[in-house]
Amino acid sequence: MAPRNKDRLDQLAAILGERGVMHLRDAAQRLGVSEMTIRRDIAGDAARFAYLGGHIMPAGKVEPEQPYDLRKQADRHATAKREACRHAFTHIHADDTIFVDCGTTLSHLIDLVPETMPVTVVCYALNIAERLSRAPNIRLIVLGGLYHPETASFSGPQGLDTLDRVGINTAFLSAAGLDEMRGATCAHFHEVAVKQKAIATAQKNLLVIDNSKLGRVKPAFFARADAFDVIYTEDGPWFAEEAA
C-alpha cells in the first residue's frame, strides 16, 4: 500500500472511530480526493472498512446476515435502542392514539409510558401487546391475522381494515435498515403493508432506529426516508448529512 493511501485510510479510521458511520461523499470531501479514490482505498482494506448503501463504517460494525430471531435481537444494541426511544417518547401525550411497530426496538418505548397516562395504542406484535396489557390506563388495539412466529407479529386484511377505522396521532415505526437513497427497509415482506398503512393513516410518522441500521439495506422496502417527520437514533434526531 502506498504511503499516501495508508495516511488517508488512517485518517478515515480515526474519523469513523468518532462518528461510527460516514457517507462516501463526505469522506471524499474531508480527505480531499474523489469518491472513486475512497472506494478503491477501502476496497483494498476490507479488514478495517465496510461500504453499505453509500456509507462507510468500520468492518466490525457489520453483522453477518442471520435468520431473524426476536429473542436474540432483543439483546442487540439494547442500550442504543433505549436511548433512541427516550428521544421519541417526547411525542407521546395523554389521550393520544399511537401506532407501535413490531420488532424489539419499540418495546423500550412502551416501557417508558407511565401507567397513569391514558393512551390508545395500536399494535400488531405479541411482544408489544404483552407489555401494554399490564398497563391499566392503556386502551389496546391488536391487529389480527396470520401469525408469524419469527417476529411474533400478525398480517392480513383484517388488520389493514382496522387501521382504516382508527385515527392515529403518531406512528412509531422501526426498520432493519435505513439508506438515504433506498429508504427504510425491513427483513420480512409481511410487515410492509401494515407499516405503509400506518404511515398513510397517521398525522405524524417517526422512525426509531439505532445507528447500526444506518447504511443497511434489507429486502423489503416500505418507505422513503422523507416519509418520516423525524428519524431518531440514540444520538437524537438524525438528518442525512448531504441535506444539511
Side-chain angles (χ1 to χ4, degrees), residues 80-146:
K81 292 174 181 178
R82 280 193 294 270
E83 288 304 308
C85 286
R86 287 186 191 278
H87 294 297
F89 176 71
T90 60
H91 294 269
I92 299 180
H93 308 287
D95 299 317
D96 274 355
T97 297
I98 65 173
F99 170 86
V100 178
D101 207 350
C102 67
T104 58
T105 296
L106 292 173
S107 62
H108 300 288
L109 180 73
I110 295 306
D111 290 341
L112 295 172
V113 179
E115 291 188 355
T116 57
M117 179 183 285
V119 179
T120 299
V121 182
V122 183
C123 70
Y124 65 113
L126 285 184
N127 64 313
I128 301 296
E130 192 275 332
R131 278 175 158 84
L132 290 166
S133 66
R134 300 194 295 264
N137 288 302
I138 297 292
R139 177 185 293 170
L140 177 60
I141 301 174
V142 181
L143 308 179
L146 177 65

Side-chain angles (χ1 to χ4, degrees), residues 3 8 20-21 63-64 80 90 107 114 116 122 130 132 151 160 165-166 168-169 176 209 215 229:
R8 276 199 302 270
V21 63
E63 300 171 357
T90 60
S107 62
T116 57
V122 183
E130 192 275 332
L132 290 166
T151 57
L160 301 181
R165 298 193 296 271
V166 178
I168 298 173
N169 299 105
I209 57 175
D229 295 280

Side-chain angles (χ1 to χ4, degrees), residues 65-237:
E65 293 294 332
Q66 300 175 355
Y68 187 92
D69 186 307
L70 190 70
R71 291 169 297 178
K72 293 180 180 178
Q73 290 295 327
D75 296 327
R76 292 183 177 176
H77 311 292
T79 299
K81 292 174 181 178
R82 280 193 294 270
E83 288 304 308
C85 286
R86 287 186 191 278
H87 294 297
F89 176 71
T90 60
H91 294 269
I92 299 180
H93 308 287
D95 299 317
D96 274 355
T97 297
I98 65 173
F99 170 86
V100 178
D101 207 350
C102 67
T104 58
T105 296
L106 292 173
S107 62
H108 300 288
L109 180 73
I110 295 306
D111 290 341
L112 295 172
V113 179
E115 291 188 355
T116 57
M117 179 183 285
V119 179
T120 299
V121 182
V122 183
C123 70
Y124 65 113
L126 285 184
N127 64 313
I128 301 296
E130 192 275 332
R131 278 175 158 84
L132 290 166
S133 66
R134 300 194 295 264
N137 288 302
I138 297 292
R139 177 185 293 170
L140 177 60
I141 301 174
V142 181
L143 308 179
L146 177 65
Y147 180 64
H148 301 269
E150 67 275 16
T151 57
S153 62
F154 296 89
S155 69
Q158 307 97 313
L160 301 181
D161 290 343
T162 300
L163 280 173
D164 278 330
R165 298 193 296 271
V166 178
I168 298 173
N169 299 105
T170 304
F172 295 86
L173 286 302
S174 61
L178 177 66
D179 179 84
E180 67 197 74
M181 297 300 295
R182 297 180 179 91
T185 54
C186 58
H188 301 282
F189 285 93
H190 73 263
E191 299 173 16
V192 171
V194 183
K195 292 174 187 281
Q196 290 181 337
K197 177 68 75 171
I199 290 171
T201 303
Q203 292 180 319
K204 181 189 297 182
N205 294 297
L206 308 181
L207 182 66
V208 186
I209 57 175
D210 64 85
N211 280 334
S212 73
K213 309 302 190 299
L214 297 177
R216 297 181 70 84
V217 178
K218 293 295 184 175
F221 165 82
F222 67 90
R224 290 167 49 93
D226 60 10
F228 306 102
D229 295 280
V230 189
I231 296 170
Y232 284 110
T233 73
E234 61 266 38
D235 298 325

Side-chain angles (χ1 to χ4, degrees), residues 46-61:
R48 281 202 293 175
F49 303 101
Y51 180 72
L52 292 169
H55 291 78
I56 306 168
M57 61 192 71
K61 287 189 64 177

